Amino acid sequence: MLGHWAQTVLERCDQLAACSEVPGQITRTFLSAPMREVHRQVRGWMEHAGMQVRLDAVGNLIGTYPAAIPEAPKLLIGSHLDSVPDAGRYDGVLGVLLGIALVEALAGQRLRFALEVVGFSEEEGVRFGVPFLGSRAFAGNFEEKLLELTDIAGVSVAQAIRDFGLNPAEIAPSEGDYLGYLEFHIEQGPQLEAEGLPLGIVEAIVGQSRLEFEFTGQAAHAGTTPMHLRRDALAGAAQFVLDAERLARETPGLVATVGHMAVKPGAGNVIPGAVQLSLDLRHARDAVRLEALERLGHTARQIAHERGLGVAVAAKLEQPAVPMDAWMQSQLATAMQELGYPPYKLQSGAGHDAMILAQRMRSAMLFLRSPGGISHNPQEAVLPEDVAAALEVGLRFLECLERSLPG
Ligand code: GLV
Ligand code: MN
Ligand code: MN
């Protein structure tokens, strides 16, 4: 029975994987054209499951399955529907579809709380460099200046929202009394596989800083400019990338990534005059991350000084580590133990919407094993039996919540 729903979830992940900005890969950024088709399909599944569906002003798709009684609180379940470039098919999407499958598996049974399943419009921070646009709006944490961010084509967040037929002036937090938020997500790392376990409870999500550096030098002729007279922005940027890698290798638990670089003017016979690069820095302890951030700022200035370059830094995200709610974790642990799954706990190195929701309500995450530990990659995978296990634990978790309510 749950195997059937698990199969349905996986088939739906395949169907949504076909909705992409780039033929032949999965690339779906904030409110891009293929998101309309994603919404059409997800809305259909939600409605078929007996949910009332709405789209909020930032493009979050929300389905509500009413409670047995009026004025009941809600449990929110969800994740995000956007993706990184050339993504896998489960990051985010799986958590939304598991929420819908849980409602379907209830087969019409009403609970003493409503279920709200949400597909957040943006979590990855790809199009505008700043993540969590969907969950920030939902949680009432959407600063107005976010609307002015622009993408690579110069389109602002406000314009992207209008282009999708929505009104940025209507962005408002979701109202109501929430028992909490539960996010199912693939682990995206190797720990559960190494332990031989299908599922794990997230204790905390590590903090992250995202920045953009720009090194500026002098664009000049590659054939005529002697080496000692060059101000090569890319050579400085390359030195910075290696220094960041070295610092992270030397600092236990620190991860540093330069995942994007734009070289201008970008021709083989022109010395690079300017380079923009991203830096993503994460650690479970905020103090370690912040110290590394300061050191890398100093490193960038030092490199620029030695090479006669300019350097500018823009902070895109400063997100402290977030513990998951202890009570929600205990309910998940009870559900797992009752079903014979060890309630293994782990930290998340990836960022998640649950980090943002935790500012508004009790939040928890259940991780599913990631075969090969691979994610942000088209080879991302999940095992059908682990999806069935997540559904089983999810249903038992709902029972645990029912038991915990007074009366
Ligand atoms: C989200 O996937 C992240 O970058 O952590
Ligand atoms: Mn991701
Ligand atoms: Mn994700």
Side-chain angles (χ1 to χ4, degrees), residues 307-375:
R307 291 177 167 271
L309 305 173
V311 64
V313 187
K316 295 285 188 180
L317 177 74
E318 176 50 47
Q319 172 63 58
V322 177
M324 293 289 93
D325 181 75
W327 182 79
M328 295 272 284
Q329 285 187 59
S330 75
Q331 299 298 307
L332 276 174
T334 303
M336 289 175 77
Q337 274 162 329
E338 286 180 5
L339 293 165
Y341 297 106
Y344 181 79
K345 300 215 170 166
L346 73 172
Q347 300 224 332
S348 173
H352 295 289
D353 295 301
M355 297 181 100
I356 304 301
L357 271 295
Q359 297 160 14
R360 163 89 199 277
M361 62 186 80
R362 295 174 179 277
S363 294
M365 293 194 74
L366 188 71
F367 272 177
L368 286 77
R369 158 170 52 195
S370 284
I374 294 193
S375 183

Side-chain angles (χ1 to χ4, degrees), residues 244-312:
E245 184 193 44
R246 188 173 311 113
L247 177 64
R249 280 176 182 262
E250 286 168 359
T251 312
L254 184 72
V255 287
T257 307
V258 175
H260 180 261
M261 208 183 249
V263 181
K264 288 181 194 155
N269 61 350
V270 184
I271 297 163
V275 172
Q276 281 178 336
L277 63 87
S278 63
L279 176 68
D280 178 314
L281 201 61
R282 307 187 192 203
H283 196 278
R285 284 184 37 222
D286 292 332
V288 178
R289 175 176 50 85
L290 293 174
E291 194 191 322
L293 193 58
E294 202 178 309
R295 279 182 64 178
L296 289 175
H298 176 76
T299 301
R301 287 190 296 277
Q302 187 72 25
I303 291 170
H305 175 73
E306 285 165 8
R307 291 177 167 271
L309 305 173
V311 64

Side-chain angles (χ1 to χ4, degrees), residues 80 82-84 91-92 123-124 185 188 350-352 375-376 380:
H80 57 99
D82 67 321
S83 82
V84 293
D91 177 359
E123 186 267 358
E124 300 284 8
H185 206 286
Q188 308 182 275
H352 295 289
S375 183
H376 284 185
E380 195 174 85

Side-chain angles (χ1 to χ4, degrees), residues 30-316:
F30 178 60
L31 296 185
S32 63
M35 201 59 99
R36 289 184 200 280
E37 177 58 16
V38 168
H39 284 174
R40 197 188 63 76
Q41 298 203 33
V42 175
R43 179 185 283 272
W45 298 324
M46 284 176 164
E47 285 174 349
H48 191 256
M51 309 179 90
Q52 295 145 12
V53 185
R54 67 190 164 93
L55 187 64
D56 76 7
V58 79
N60 296 319
L61 191 70
I62 304 153
T64 306
Y65 181 71
I69 44 173
E71 313 288 320
K74 304 183 263 192
L75 175 72
L76 182 67
I77 304 177
S79 194
H80 57 99
L81 293 170
D82 67 321
S83 82
V84 293
D86 202 10
R89 56 191 58 199
Y90 304 110
D91 177 359
V93 166
L94 182 71
V96 183
L97 299 183
L98 272 169
I100 298 173
L102 272 184
V103 173
E104 288 171 307
L106 285 173
Q109 182 200 341
R110 301 277 178 203
L111 307 173
R112 283 193 294 145
F113 47 89
L115 291 176
E116 204 166 78
V117 177
V118 58
F120 290 115
S121 55
E122 207 284 341
E123 186 267 358
E124 300 284 8
V126 172
R127 181 166 175 189
F128 292 99
V130 174
F132 308 122
L133 297 179
S135 43
R136 284 176 204 242
F138 191 96
N141 186 11
F142 190 94
E143 296 151 31
E144 216 160 303
K145 65 178 184 346
L146 291 171
L147 291 172
E148 292 162 19
L149 292 170
T150 49
D151 67 9
I152 203 160
V155 177
S156 67
V157 170
Q159 191 57 45
I161 290 171
R162 281 193 290 267
D163 290 348
F164 205 77
L166 300 168
N167 181 357
E170 289 174 5
I171 292 177
S174 180
E175 286 174 0
D177 176 16
Y178 285 95
L179 291 175
Y181 171 65
L182 175 64
E183 182 166 354
F184 297 92
H185 206 286
I186 49 168
E187 181 202 334
Q188 308 182 275
Q191 283 188 63
L192 291 172
E193 186 173 62
E195 296 290 333
L197 295 172
L199 303 171
I201 299 170
V202 177
E203 275 181 312
I205 305 176
V206 309
Q208 51 172 296
S209 304
R210 295 198 204 181
L211 302 103
E212 192 175 87
F213 286 72
E214 183 166 37
F215 286 96
T216 44
Q218 171 97 67
H221 198 290
T224 60
T225 317
M227 294 309 287
H228 71 285
L229 293 180
R230 295 175 177 216
R231 289 165 55 221
D232 183 332
L234 181 56
Q239 192 175 335
F240 177 77
V241 173
L242 293 178
D243 283 349
E245 184 193 44
R246 188 173 311 113
L247 177 64
R249 280 176 182 262
E250 286 168 359
T251 312
L254 184 72
V255 287
T257 307
V258 175
H260 180 261
M261 208 183 249
V263 181
K264 288 181 194 155
N269 61 350
V270 184
I271 297 163
V275 172
Q276 281 178 336
L277 63 87
S278 63
L279 176 68
D280 178 314
L281 201 61
R282 307 187 192 203
H283 196 278
R285 284 184 37 222
D286 292 332
V288 178
R289 175 176 50 85
L290 293 174
E291 194 191 322
L293 193 58
E294 202 178 309
R295 279 182 64 178
L296 289 175
H298 176 76
T299 301
R301 287 190 296 277
Q302 187 72 25
I303 291 170
H305 175 73
E306 285 165 8
R307 291 177 167 271
L309 305 173
V311 64
V313 187
K316 295 285 188 180

